[in-house]
């Protein structure tokens, strides 16, 4: 029996990168999954792998733009009906549109805030009733170390992640009385599509600051999510777990 056997989780941004690694880690521990990305066909590979890892559990796939509150309500309704409840929600979907402040367009600002912060709000609000009904409700929001430190060229992204941290701490206080924990994971520099296209000079600079001497892997974040999602995380709430190899130490 896995540490998440019998639990039901929804993970956004599960088509690739960190979200996919979290989905696979949860599946390995016997969790029943509902996965979200912008289109269901983008989730086919993750879902097949999760089904294999879980020993054959069904995996549901939903195409959803987390920026759309109505669509979030509808998907959460379908998920809770189909799965018979919801115990764990991971708000992982996120985007970057980096630029220096003076060149940051309204579109770049809005796209990042709408996806990273409003998207997490849309999903969390829709799922809050189901989480409160669960005996072990867990909200896990994926922010970033730049939501704590700030970063030149990422004012929009840092604002969205700093907002997500404050949002999560507030939700933690609101839902604690119903036994729901709400925490943030703040990754440092993780090797995914999001960071693949960065200038080699930026990458070298980041690597030089990482005390453990390597970029993070999506699995490093998945391990932290697994810790918070299971019984191991039962007495942890309103916290920010930094997983950055010592980048911000
Ligand atoms: P990624 O490889 O670019 O994957 C992003 C995921 O988010 C994809 O599954 C994508 O779905 C989904 N997504 C984007 N916009 C969406 C929308 N409007 N509605 C629904 N889904 C949407 O990114 P990643 O590196 O794994 O990052 C995952 C999370 O970790 C993000 O919140 C990111 O900010 C955070 N993070 C990453 C790093 C890093 O170094 N990589 C560091 C700190 C924090 P599609 O496939 O359908 O596009």
């Amino acid at each position: 029996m896995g540490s998440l056997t019998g639990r039901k989780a929804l993970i956004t941004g599960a088509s690739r990168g960190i979200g996919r690694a979290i989905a696979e880690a949860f599946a390995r521990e016997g969790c029943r999954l509902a996965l979200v990305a912008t289109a269901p066909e983008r989730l086919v590979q993750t879902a097949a792998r999760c089904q294999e890892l879980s020993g054959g559990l069904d995996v549901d796939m939903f195409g959803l733009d987390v920026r759309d509150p109505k669509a979030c309500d509808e998907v959460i309704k379908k998920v809770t009906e189909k799965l018979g409840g919801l115990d764990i929600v991971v708000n992982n979907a996120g985007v970057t549109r980096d630029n220096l402040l003076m060149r940051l367009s309204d579109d770049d600002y809005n796209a990042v805030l709408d996806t990273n912060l409003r998207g997490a709000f849309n999903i969390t609000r829709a799922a809050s009733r189901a989480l409160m009904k669960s005996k072990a409700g867990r909200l896990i929001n994926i922010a970033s170390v730049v939501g704590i430190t700030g970063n030149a060229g990422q004012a929009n992204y840092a604002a969205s992640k700093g907002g997500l941290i404050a949002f999560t701490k507030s939700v933690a206080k609101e839902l604690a009385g119903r036994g729901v924990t709400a925490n943030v994971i703040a990754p440092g520099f993780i090797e995914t599509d999001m960071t693949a296209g960065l200038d080699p000079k930026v990458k070298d600079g980041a690597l030089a600051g990482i005390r453990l001497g390597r970029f993070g892997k999506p699995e490093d974040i998945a391990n932290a999510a697994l810790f918070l999602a299971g019984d191991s995380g039962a007495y942890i709430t309103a916290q920010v777990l930094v997983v950055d190899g010592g980048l911000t130490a």
Side-chain angles (χ1 to χ4, degrees):
M1 200 166 114
S3 63
L4 296 181
T5 297
R7 308 264 167 96
K8 300 142 193 163
L10 176 124
I11 302 167
T12 68
S15 56
R16 49 201 163 93
I18 292 169
R20 177 173 178 158
I22 294 172
E24 290 181 5
F26 284 16
R28 217 173 267 120
E29 293 302 323
C31 192
R32 173 76 169 85
L33 293 170
L35 307 179
V36 168
T38 55
E41 56 272 20
R42 298 182 67 75
L43 291 159
V44 170
Q45 285 181 2
T46 310
R49 181 72 184 129
C50 287
Q51 194 166 36
E52 192 182 318
L53 289 168
S54 70
L57 288 177
D58 284 344
V59 178
D60 286 282
M61 300 178 282
F62 294 92
L64 166 69
D65 185 339
V66 296
R67 293 174 295 179
D68 179 346
K70 240 179 123 189
C72 288
D73 288 348
E74 282 162 15
V75 164
I76 295 292
K77 190 166 180 283
K78 277 187 202 157
V79 169
T80 51
E81 280 170 11
K82 181 99 190 284
L83 276 61
L86 195 52
D87 306 294
I88 305 162
V89 170
V90 182
N91 284 303
N92 164 80
V95 293
T96 51
R97 295 268 194 101
D98 298 351
N99 221 329
L100 294 173
L101 177 64
M102 287 182 71
R103 294 192 203 128
L104 205 52
S105 69
D106 290 334
D107 275 356
D108 289 341
Y109 184 82
N110 290 337
V112 170
L113 268 289
D114 284 353
T115 307
N116 300 2
L117 184 54
R118 185 182 292 271
F121 161 68
N122 289 339
I123 292 284
T124 305
R125 181 179 58 182
S128 57
R129 198 180 299 272
L131 288 176
M132 287 189 282
K133 276 190 190 161
S134 164
K135 288 194 171 62
R138 299 275 196 277
L139 175 68
I140 301 170
N141 289 337
I142 310 298
S144 165
V145 289
V146 310
I148 304 166
T149 63
N151 196 25
Q154 287 197 308
N156 52 352
Y157 183 75
S160 74
K161 297 302 191 180
L164 186 58
I165 290 170
F167 171 75
T168 312
K169 289 183 179 183
S170 304
V171 172
K173 290 182 177 182
E174 243 178 83
L175 301 189
R178 308 298 291 270
V180 179
T181 71
N183 293 288
V184 171
I185 297 173
F189 195 115
I190 312 300
E191 285 181 314
T192 68
D193 291 352
M194 186 173 272
T195 48
L198 288 175
D199 188 310
K201 276 189 200 150
V202 173
K203 282 192 186 177
D204 288 349
L207 186 58
I210 301 174
R211 277 140 182 101
L212 289 178
R214 67 167 176 88
F215 294 123
K217 296 191 285 283
E219 293 72 24
D220 292 314
I221 307 305
N223 287 335
L226 197 54
F227 169 65
L228 291 172
D231 291 343
S232 44
Y235 200 56
I236 301 170
T237 198
Q239 299 305 308
V240 181
L241 179 52
V242 173
V243 184
D244 70 350
L247 175 67
T248 56

